[in-house]
Coordinates of all heavy atoms in Angstrom, one line a residue:
Chain I
P64 N -42.4 89.3 251.9 CA -42.6 89.9 253.2 C -41.3 90.1 254.0 O -41.1 91.2 254.6 CB -43.5 88.9 253.9 CG -44.1 88.1 252.8 CD -43.1 88.0 251.8
K65 N -40.5 89.1 254.0 CA -39.2 89.2 254.8 C -38.3 90.3 254.2 O -37.7 91.0 254.9 CB -38.5 87.9 254.8 CG -39.2 86.9 255.7 CD -38.5 85.5 255.7 CE -39.2 84.5 256.6 NZ -38.6 83.2 256.5
L66 N -38.3 90.4 252.9 CA -37.5 91.4 252.2 C -38.0 92.8 252.5 O -37.2 93.7 252.8 CB -37.5 91.2 250.7 CG -36.7 90.0 250.1 CD1 -37.1 89.8 248.7 CD2 -35.2 90.3 250.3
Q67 N -39.3 92.9 252.6 CA -39.9 94.2 253.0 C -39.5 94.6 254.4 O -39.3 95.8 254.7 CB -41.3 94.2 252.7 CG -41.6 94.4 251.2 CD -43.1 94.3 250.8 OE1 -43.9 94.1 251.7 NE2 -43.3 94.3 249.6
E68 N -39.6 93.6 255.3 CA -39.2 93.9 256.6 C -37.7 94.4 256.7 O -37.4 95.3 257.4 CB -39.3 92.6 257.5 CG -40.7 92.3 258.0 CD -40.7 91.1 258.8 OE1 -39.7 90.7 259.4 OE2 -41.8 90.5 258.9
L69 N -36.9 93.7 255.9 CA -35.5 94.1 255.9 C -35.3 95.5 255.4 O -34.5 96.3 255.9 CB -34.6 93.2 255.1 CG -34.4 91.8 255.6 CD1 -33.7 90.9 254.6 CD2 -33.6 91.8 256.9
Q70 N -36.1 95.8 254.4 CA -36.0 97.2 253.8 C -36.4 98.2 254.8 O -35.8 99.3 254.8 CB -36.9 97.3 252.5 CG -36.3 96.7 251.3 CD -37.2 96.6 250.1 OE1 -38.4 96.6 250.3 NE2 -36.7 96.6 248.9
K71 N -37.4 97.9 255.5 CA -37.9 98.9 256.6 C -36.8 99.0 257.6 O -36.5 100.1 258.1 CB -39.2 98.4 257.2 CG -40.4 98.9 256.5 CD -41.6 98.6 257.3 CE -42.9 99.1 256.7 NZ -44.1 98.8 257.4
K72 N -36.3 97.9 258.0 CA -35.3 97.8 259.1 C -34.0 98.6 258.8 O -33.5 99.3 259.6 CB -35.0 96.4 259.5 CG -34.4 96.2 260.8 CD -34.4 94.7 261.1 CE -33.6 94.4 262.4 NZ -33.6 92.9 262.7
Y73 N -33.6 98.4 257.6 CA -32.3 99.0 257.2 C -32.5 100.0 256.1 O -31.6 100.1 255.2 CB -31.3 97.9 256.7 CG -31.1 96.8 257.7 CD1 -31.6 95.5 257.5 CD2 -30.3 97.0 258.8 CE1 -31.4 94.5 258.5 CE2 -30.1 96.0 259.8 CZ -30.7 94.8 259.6 OH -30.5 93.8 260.5
A74 N -33.5 100.8 256.3 CA -33.8 101.8 255.2 C -32.7 102.8 255.1 O -32.5 103.4 254.0 CB -35.1 102.5 255.6
R75 N -31.9 103.1 256.2 CA -30.9 104.1 256.1 C -29.5 103.5 256.0 O -28.5 104.2 256.0 CB -30.9 105.0 257.3 CG -32.2 105.8 257.4 CD -32.2 106.6 258.6 NE -33.5 107.4 258.6 CZ -33.8 108.2 259.6 NH1 -33.0 108.4 260.6 NH2 -34.9 108.9 259.5
D76 N -29.4 102.2 255.8 CA -28.1 101.5 255.7 C -28.1 100.6 254.5 O -28.4 99.4 254.7 CB -27.7 100.8 257.0 CG -26.3 100.3 257.0 OD1 -25.7 100.3 255.9 OD2 -25.8 99.8 258.1
S77 N -27.9 101.1 253.3 CA -28.0 100.3 252.1 C -27.0 99.1 252.1 O -27.3 98.0 251.6 CB -27.9 101.1 250.9 OG -26.7 101.8 250.9
Q78 N -25.8 99.3 252.6 CA -24.8 98.3 252.6 C -25.3 97.1 253.5 O -25.2 95.9 253.1 CB -23.5 98.8 253.1 CG -22.3 98.0 252.7 CD -21.0 98.6 253.1 OE1 -20.9 99.7 253.6 NE2 -19.9 97.8 253.0
R79 N -25.8 97.4 254.6 CA -26.2 96.4 255.5 C -27.5 95.7 254.9 O -27.6 94.4 255.0 CB -26.6 97.0 256.9 CG -27.1 96.1 257.9 CD -25.9 95.2 258.5 NE -26.4 94.1 259.3 CZ -26.7 94.2 260.6 NH1 -26.5 95.3 261.2 NH2 -27.1 93.1 261.2
L80 N -28.3 96.5 254.3 CA -29.5 95.9 253.7 C -29.1 94.9 252.6 O -29.7 93.8 252.6 CB -30.3 97.0 253.0 CG -31.6 96.6 252.2 CD1 -32.6 95.9 253.1 CD2 -32.2 97.8 251.5
A81 N -28.1 95.2 251.8 CA -27.7 94.3 250.8 C -27.2 93.0 251.4 O -27.4 91.9 250.9 CB -26.6 94.9 249.9
Q82 N -26.4 93.2 252.5 CA -25.8 92.0 253.1 C -26.9 91.1 253.7 O -26.9 89.9 253.5 CB -24.9 92.4 254.3 CG -23.6 93.0 253.8 CD -22.8 93.6 254.9 OE1 -23.2 93.8 256.1 NE2 -21.5 94.0 254.6
E83 N -27.9 91.7 254.3 CA -29.0 90.9 255.0 C -29.8 90.2 253.9 O -30.3 89.1 254.1 CB -29.9 91.9 255.8 CG -29.2 92.4 257.1 CD -28.8 91.3 258.1 OE1 -29.6 90.3 258.1 OE2 -27.8 91.4 258.7
Q84 N -30.0 91.0 252.8 CA -30.8 90.4 251.7 C -30.1 89.1 251.1 O -30.7 88.1 250.9 CB -31.0 91.4 250.6 CG -32.1 92.4 250.9 CD -32.3 93.4 249.8 OE1 -31.4 93.8 249.1 NE2 -33.5 94.0 249.7
M85 N -28.8 89.3 250.9 CA -28.0 88.1 250.4 C -28.1 87.0 251.4 O -28.2 85.8 251.0 CB -26.6 88.6 250.2 CG -26.4 89.4 248.9 SD -27.1 88.7 247.5 CE -26.0 87.4 247.2
A86 N -28.0 87.3 252.7 CA -28.1 86.2 253.7 C -29.4 85.5 253.6 O -29.5 84.3 253.8 CB -27.8 86.8 255.1
L87 N -30.4 86.3 253.5 CA -31.8 85.8 253.4 C -31.9 84.8 252.2 O -32.5 83.7 252.3 CB -32.8 86.9 253.3 CG -34.3 86.5 253.2 CD1 -34.7 85.7 254.4 CD2 -35.2 87.7 253.0
Y88 N -31.4 85.3 251.0 CA -31.5 84.5 249.8 C -30.7 83.2 250.0 O -31.2 82.1 249.6 CB -30.8 85.2 248.6 CG -31.6 86.4 248.1 CD1 -31.0 87.6 247.8 CD2 -33.0 86.3 247.9 CE1 -31.8 88.7 247.3 CE2 -33.8 87.4 247.5 CZ -33.1 88.6 247.2 OH -33.9 89.6 246.7
K89 N -29.6 83.3 250.7 CA -28.7 82.1 250.9 C -29.4 81.1 251.8 O -29.5 79.9 251.5 CB -27.4 82.6 251.5 CG -26.3 81.6 251.3 CD -25.0 82.1 251.8 CE -23.9 81.1 251.7 NZ -22.6 81.6 252.2
T90 N -30.1 81.6 252.9 CA -30.8 80.8 253.8 C -31.9 80.1 253.1 O -32.2 78.9 253.3 CB -31.3 81.6 255.0 OG1 -30.3 82.4 255.5 CG2 -31.9 80.7 256.1
A91 N -32.6 80.8 252.3 CA -33.8 80.3 251.6 C -33.4 79.4 250.4 O -34.3 78.7 249.8 CB -34.7 81.4 251.2

Side-chain angles (χ1 to χ4, degrees):
Chain I
K65 288 179 181 173
L66 285 168
Q67 281 172 6
E68 274 180 27
L69 290 176
Q70 277 175 338
K71 271 190 177 176
K72 197 171 173 182
Y73 302 107
R75 294 182 180 178
D76 188 349
S77 57
Q78 197 176 351
R79 181 73 192 276
L80 175 62
Q82 286 172 351
E83 291 296 327
Q84 281 177 334
M85 286 308 290
L87 179 62
Y88 289 137
K89 202 174 176 182
T90 312

